[in-house]
Amino acid sequence: MDTQKTIDDLNFLIAVNADRIEQYQTAKQECHDPRLRRLFQQVALESAGHVAQLTDRIRAGGGEVEQGTTLSGKLHKLWVDVRAALSGHDASAILEAVRCAEKSTLAAYDRILEDSNHELPEPVVELLERQRRTVVESCQTVDRLSTEPARR
């Protein structure tokens, strides 16, 4: 790995994805819609794959992998719980909470990719751009589902 900053950035994205896994597992538990439960499970598994890829990249570069989640991730998870409870586990309320969390995940990837204070190695940029695309696709899916008439 080229720099400690790159390792720190990748560890931050591991924490962001760990948050995302917890948020989607919570959403799956709180939601009664089978279609949404499948989506939530799929996105949690997607993030687990991201964690594995980021972990491999750090280890291949001789870096230390950190474990854990972020404070903002814990707050988003709590928000999913609260929205579900207050709405009677209404799918549209859960989708809105998940949508907020997805935008935060996307912002984390954007921040790392756009950071001009250091140069990320090209293989790392390619990995992060691939992962970012899957987050964008999930955001679009959640946005689409949250605007369906049956979910309003």
Side-chain angles (χ1 to χ4, degrees):
M1 197 67 51
D2 288 353
T3 67
Q4 185 59 45
K5 174 77 170 126
T6 299
I7 293 169
D8 292 345
D9 287 346
L10 296 182
N11 272 314
F12 173 71
L13 290 175
I14 286 174
V16 166
N17 277 283
D19 291 339
R20 192 173 183 232
I21 293 165
E22 286 187 14
Q23 291 156 7
Y24 274 100
Q25 288 173 339
T26 298
K28 180 183 171 196
Q29 291 170 354
E30 298 295 339
C31 184
H32 302 299
D33 182 324
R35 187 172 98 179
L36 292 179
R37 290 174 58 89
R38 282 189 300 278
L39 170 68
F40 297 158
Q41 179 64 31
Q42 175 187 344
V43 176
L45 290 172
E46 172 185 288
S47 268
H50 291 176
V51 168
Q53 293 167 351
L54 294 165
T55 297
D56 289 348
R57 180 66 61 184
I58 291 170
R59 287 187 179 145
E64 292 292 321
V65 177
E66 297 173 11
Q67 302 297 319
T69 58
T70 66
L71 177 59
S72 66
K74 288 176 178 40
L75 294 174
H76 282 297
K77 181 183 179 305
L78 178 62
W79 183 236
V80 171
D81 287 337
V82 169
R83 289 289 299 246
L86 292 176
S87 69
H89 302 275
D90 177 62
S92 61
I94 294 169
L95 277 168
E96 185 58 35
V98 165
R99 189 170 155 209
C100 178
E102 278 298 87
K103 297 209 183 290
S104 178
T105 300
L106 187 57
Y109 274 90
D110 288 344
R111 183 179 65 84
I112 300 299
L113 285 166
E114 294 171 1
D115 187 355
S116 61
N117 293 332
H118 72 290
E119 290 289 322
L120 292 170
E122 190 58 33
V124 172
V125 171
E126 290 170 7
L127 171 66
L128 298 185
E129 286 176 345
R130 269 193 320 273
Q131 290 185 355
R132 183 189 180 280
R133 280 192 297 275
T134 66
V135 174
V136 168
E137 290 169 7
S138 295
C139 282
Q140 291 170 341
T141 299
V142 169
D143 283 346
R144 182 178 44 77
L145 290 171
S146 66
T147 59
E148 285 183 358
R151 303 240 187 270
R152 286 188 190 163

